[in-house]
Amino acid sequence: MVSIINEALSLSIALSAGIYAFRYMNRFTRILFYQLITWICFYLGSYALTTYQENSNIEPNDHWLLNIHLLLEALWLTVAAYNYSNAKTRKSLALILYGVFLIVFTIQVSVSGFSCFANLGMAAAGLMITILYLFILYDAFRSKAGLWYTSPEIWACIGLVIYFACNVPYFSLFTYLNDHYPILSGRLFSVITDVLANIRYFFLAIAFFIAARTKAVSTVNPHGR
């Protein structure tokens, strides 16, 4: 229950910031906002599904729902990275990495079934997103004329890289850890899903607030006087 409250808090703050800043967002941050809404819908759906299963004496299993979300989350974040850069090589890299993710995901669900969480697909998505958003961070730092912490893209990307970079080693060993070190696996899962997810969405909320503040200031005072 505590973890649900904590994650719901960060999601609520990010959603509120996104609604407030929506009209000031560029295409990149708007796509991240759409991804946030997608996750909130699946988060609530997962909670409702498992609650119903528990009340009906059915073993809780929302893995198939999380697999669908994984596909959509990877797609939204790939589209955001694709739209951020005008370089053909970066756009091609985004498409290639998403293709690799789809191959890994498809192979795993074909072998294990869609009702089993695609942990290798998650690891592949984490690696893909880490690579793409490190490139965006590099471009954002290089092109930023003022202070780096006034860039919404930098805040959003730092949160995403922290979250997904830590996903890669854990979910790559997910099955092994669950079989041999279940207590450790549970603790790691808690850190990633609670602590790092909160960091990710708090940083996204900061990105939205900065986007709104920057646009509002430039609109009110367009000539800097």
Side-chain angles (χ1 to χ4, degrees):
M1 183 59 69
V2 174
S3 63
I4 292 174
I5 293 173
N6 287 339
E7 189 168 1
L9 176 63
S10 63
L11 290 173
S12 299
I13 292 173
L15 178 63
S16 301
I19 293 172
Y20 166 71
F22 186 79
R23 66 191 178 115
Y24 302 112
M25 293 180 187
N26 57 25
R27 182 179 296 179
F28 177 77
T29 47
R30 282 192 177 183
I31 294 172
L32 295 184
F33 180 65
Y34 297 146
Q35 183 276 315
L36 169 67
I37 293 175
T38 302
W39 170 234
I40 290 174
C41 291
F42 274 86
Y43 182 79
L44 295 175
S46 173
Y47 182 73
L49 175 63
T50 53
T51 300
Y52 167 77
Q53 290 171 334
E54 289 171 355
N55 292 337
S56 303
N57 294 320
I58 301 172
E59 184 178 355
N61 186 345
D62 61 349
H63 292 171
W64 62 272
L65 197 63
L66 296 178
N67 284 339
I68 296 174
H69 172 260
L70 175 58
L71 288 171
L72 293 176
E73 179 177 55
L75 179 61
W76 277 126
L77 295 179
T78 302
V79 170
Y82 183 90
N83 280 277
Y84 180 84
S85 177
N86 293 322
K88 290 184 177 179
T89 53
R90 296 286 177 84
K91 291 181 179 293
S92 298
L93 178 63
L95 295 177
I96 291 170
L97 289 177
Y98 188 73
V100 172
F101 154 72
L102 284 179
I103 291 171
V104 174
F105 179 89
T106 302
I107 291 174
Q108 184 170 12
V109 296
S110 297
V111 173
S112 303
F114 208 77
S115 60
C116 294
F117 180 62
N119 64 293
L120 295 180
M122 183 67 181
L127 182 60
M128 172 190 74
I129 293 164
T130 300
I131 293 171
L132 293 177
Y133 283 80
L134 280 175
F135 275 122
I136 295 175
L137 266 179
Y138 172 77
D139 290 340
F141 273 112
R142 189 178 60 175
S143 62
K144 182 63 180 173
L147 299 171
W148 69 267
Y149 51 79
T150 60
S151 167
E153 291 80 10
I154 288 177
W155 280 101
C157 288
I158 289 175
L160 285 167
V161 169
I162 289 173
Y163 178 78
F164 283 101
C166 293
N167 274 331
V168 176
Y170 173 67
F171 282 107
S172 297
L173 299 171
F174 185 73
T175 303
Y176 176 81
L177 289 172
N178 281 341
D179 290 342
H180 296 87
Y181 305 98
I183 297 177
L184 174 61
S185 181
R187 289 175 180 171
L188 290 173
F189 186 80
S190 251
V191 169
I192 291 173
T193 57
D194 297 340
V195 179
L196 297 184
N198 285 335
I199 291 173
R200 170 187 175 181
Y201 288 112
F202 277 130
F203 277 30
L204 185 61
I206 293 172
F208 291 155
F209 277 123
I210 292 174
R213 182 177 179 277
T214 303
K215 275 287 187 180
V217 169
S218 64
T219 301
V220 173
N221 197 11
H223 303 294
R225 293 197 292 267

